[in-house]
Amino acid sequence: MVIKVFLASSSGSTAIKKKQQDVVGFLEALKVDYTQLDIACNEENRMWMRQNVPEDRKPTNGIPLPPQIFNEASYCGDYDTFFDAKEDNSVYAFLGLPPPPGSKEAEKADKADIVENGTHAEETNTVGKLDDLIEVPVEERNGNTHREEEKLQQAADEEEEAQDGEEEEITEGETADKETAGDETPMEEEEAVEEADEAHAEEEEGQEEEDLQSEEEEELLQLEEEEEAEVQEDEEEDLEETQEEEAE
């Protein structure tokens, strides 16, 4: 976007020259990019300016005087409206440009946004409060709560009945177990005694078998020793006979 300032470089009016200098000097101080278009030396610029100034902004004679300010083809205003925007710290809004961060105009815009948002929030809260103030019949407010309480109570009663039934079953089962245990205790003791006697008898039989086996092993060893002794004697006798024969 280019700011266009239409000026008359050869104007004989001191007032017009001063106004033109004020506009140009302030734009340069703000470091706003702009273009000067001279209507005194360029008839095309003069005609374009006169045609694009809105009718309601033209003076009585219908001929607008410089300086006239445009943003591209959009009309911004003349010196008087520019001066009012300058006094109100809203020159960027007058020019149709976003204010730079940190500028007075930017801070002013931020405050305006806060006020608008706050007002909107208050309106929303007011509507919410009005909704809260509307009375709701007691039956409607408590209807759902009463139904929920009835459901909860019913569920609690069913749970208690189920617990009572389980307790009765557990009690009957324990009683039956005790009776059965009382009948079976003597029989279990007798069976345990019989098993112990059988185990003792098996141990004794096993010990006897081990003793017999040991005796048999001793007899076999003794027989082997006797056989070895006999064989040794026979060999010695044969050796003596051989020696005697050799001596003869």
Side-chain angles (χ1 to χ4, degrees), residues 44-60:
E44 185 178 351
N45 290 339
R46 181 197 299 268
M47 295 302 296
W48 192 94
M49 183 193 75
R50 290 182 178 181
Q51 290 173 0
N52 286 279
V53 172
E55 292 294 331
D56 60 342
R57 305 293 294 275
K58 292 180 180 180
T60 305

Side-chain angles (χ1 to χ4, degrees), residues 161-223:
E161 291 177 0
Q163 289 179 353
D164 293 340
E166 290 178 357
E167 290 177 356
E168 290 178 358
E169 291 177 0
I170 291 170
T171 304
E172 292 176 356
E174 289 178 350
T175 304
D177 292 339
K178 289 180 181 178
E179 292 176 354
T180 305
D183 296 336
E184 292 178 356
T185 299
M187 295 178 64
E188 291 178 354
E189 291 179 355
E190 291 178 359
E191 291 177 357
V193 172
E194 290 178 356
E195 290 177 357
D197 293 340
E198 290 176 358
H200 183 66
E202 290 177 356
E203 289 179 359
E204 290 181 352
E205 291 178 356
Q207 187 65 36
E208 290 178 356
E209 291 177 356
E210 289 179 358
D211 293 341
L212 291 173
Q213 187 175 1
S214 298
E215 290 178 359
E216 292 177 354
E217 290 177 354
E218 290 178 357
E219 290 178 356
L220 289 173
L221 289 172
Q222 188 175 0
L223 290 171

Side-chain angles (χ1 to χ4, degrees), residues 7 18 37-39 60 68 84 97 110 113 131 139 142 150 154 174 184 204 212 218:
L7 308 171
K18 184 178 183 304
L37 300 173
D38 190 359
I39 65 172
T60 305
Q68 297 291 333
D84 292 340
L97 300 174
D110 292 339
D113 290 339
D131 292 339
E139 294 179 355
N142 297 335
E150 288 181 350
Q154 184 178 359
E174 289 178 350
E184 292 178 356
E204 290 181 352
L212 291 173
E218 290 178 357

Side-chain angles (χ1 to χ4, degrees), residues 85-97:
K86 176 182 173 183
E87 292 295 320
D88 195 34
N89 290 323
S90 59
V91 174
Y92 286 98
F94 168 81
L95 297 173
L97 300 174

